[in-house]
Structures are given as structure tokens and as C-alpha cells.
């Protein structure tokens, strides 16, 4: 198994600090600059099956504008991230987060695949349950 260095772990923490600052401001286009497209998205439909898609940059921007609106500022967002390096260039980051909307806490659990691109880390796959309302079920083969 690959053992990441303290420097590699710090590079992921720094990448997420940049990501979080952009998300807080609602800088969706700049967030898209931190990704590799097409982006894989895996989710499910509650009571249904898994669903997967590949998003273009335009689809990502549209989805994030809808879900993030003007940004995450003021939501009291708290995240605990656990990076798991598969190699020096691939890291799966599991996140447990809590945000407060209208006085109610909402808990989220999701994962991202980050890949080391020539110009730094980029996210390429997002995995989170519950986004797939109206999406077709995944099919094998």
C-alpha cells in the first residue's frame, strides 16, 4: 500500500482550503478550474438504484450554481476530510460535513477522487448519495 508523506497530506489540505474559500464566495467558474472534465458523478436515488453520469464543465457549473447559489458563506460549514492515497497521483478523499441552514443542521457524507494533473491537484470524480432524482438507474455492461 502506498504511504503518503506529510508533505503530500499537506498539499491536499491546502487544495481543499483553496476549494473551500472559492465555495464560500460562490466562485463556481473558479471551482470548475480545479476539476478535470469530463467529470464522473456517482449518486443514487433514495429507494432506487445508483446512477452515474459524466458532466461537462458546463453541466458542472449549472449543477453547482443550482446547489451552491451564492456560496457557502454563512452556512456554518464544518468538514472533516480523510484522504486515502492510492498512489502519489491518486487520492480518494472522504468527507463528513455539517452545515446549518435556517437553524437546522444537515449532515453530508461524500467522497471525491483527486488526480495530480501537470498543474496540481484536480478533482475528477464526485460520489454522494441522494443527487439522482430523475436520473436513470445505472446499468451493467
Amino acid at each position: 500500500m502506498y504511504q503518503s508523506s506529510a508533505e503530500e497530506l499537506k498539499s491536499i489540505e491546502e487544495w481543499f482550503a483553496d476549494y473551500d474559500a472559492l465555495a464560500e464566495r460562490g466562485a463556481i467558474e473558479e471551482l470548475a478550474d480545479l476539476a478535470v472534465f469530463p467529470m464522473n458523478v456517482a449518486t443514487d436515488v433514495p429507494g432506487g438504484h445508483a446512477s452515474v453520469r459524466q458532466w461537462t464543465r458546463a453541466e458542472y457549473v449549472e449543477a453547482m450554481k443550482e446547489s451552491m447559489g451564492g456560496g457557502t458563506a454563512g452556512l456554518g460549514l464544518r468538514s472533516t476530510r480523510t484522504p486515502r492515497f492510492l498512489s502519489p497521483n491518486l487520492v480518494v478523499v472522504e468527507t463528513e460535513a455539517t452545515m446549518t441552514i435556517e437553524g437546522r443542521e444537515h449532515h453530508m457524507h461524500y467522497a471525491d477522487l483527486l488526480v495530480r494533473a501537470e498543474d496540481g491537484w484536480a478533482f475528477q470524480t464526485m460520489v454522494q448519495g441522494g443527487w439522482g432524482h430523475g436520473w436513470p438507474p445505472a446499468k451493467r455492461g
Side-chain angles (χ1 to χ4, degrees), residues 25 34 58 86 111 115 123 141:
R25 292 192 351 248
L34 297 178
L86 304 177
V115 298
F123 64 106

Side-chain angles (χ1 to χ4, degrees), residues 95-116:
T95 301
E96 292 183 27
T98 302
M99 74 171 75
T100 304
I101 301 173
E102 298 176 0
R104 295 184 60 210
E105 283 193 343
H106 299 270
H107 302 280
M108 299 176 292
H109 186 211
Y110 57 93
D112 297 295
L113 171 65
L114 274 62
V115 298
R116 189 185 308 267

Side-chain angles (χ1 to χ4, degrees), residues 8-141:
E8 288 170 319
L9 287 169
K10 184 178 179 190
S11 73
I12 295 300
E13 291 171 7
E14 289 171 348
W15 186 90
F16 272 105
D18 292 343
Y19 178 92
D20 289 343
L22 292 171
E24 190 170 298
R25 292 192 351 248
I28 307 298
E29 290 290 343
E30 292 173 71
L31 288 172
D33 291 341
L34 297 178
V36 172
F37 296 97
M39 177 185 291
N40 296 313
V41 181
T43 188
D44 63 1
V45 178
H49 295 84
S51 187
V52 295
R53 288 192 171 175
Q54 283 194 321
W55 278 348
T56 63
R57 181 186 175 105
E59 289 169 319
Y60 169 82
V61 167
E62 180 181 329
M64 291 302 106
K65 281 182 180 176
E66 187 176 309
S67 67
M68 271 190 198
T72 60
L75 295 180
L77 184 61
R78 299 180 314 277
S79 299
T80 301
R81 294 188 172 103
T82 305
R84 301 183 193 287
F85 279 78
L86 304 177
S87 76
N89 303 306
L90 302 171
V91 60
V92 174
V93 181
E94 187 175 358
T95 301
E96 292 183 27
T98 302
M99 74 171 75
T100 304
I101 301 173
E102 298 176 0
R104 295 184 60 210
E105 283 193 343
H106 299 270
H107 302 280
M108 299 176 292
H109 186 211
Y110 57 93
D112 297 295
L113 171 65
L114 274 62
V115 298
R116 189 185 308 267
E118 289 180 351
D119 50 352
W121 289 109
F123 64 106
Q124 198 289 315
T125 299
M126 299 186 329
V127 181
Q128 183 177 8
W131 278 58
H133 297 283
W135 291 20
K139 296 189 186 291
R140 298 191 312 186

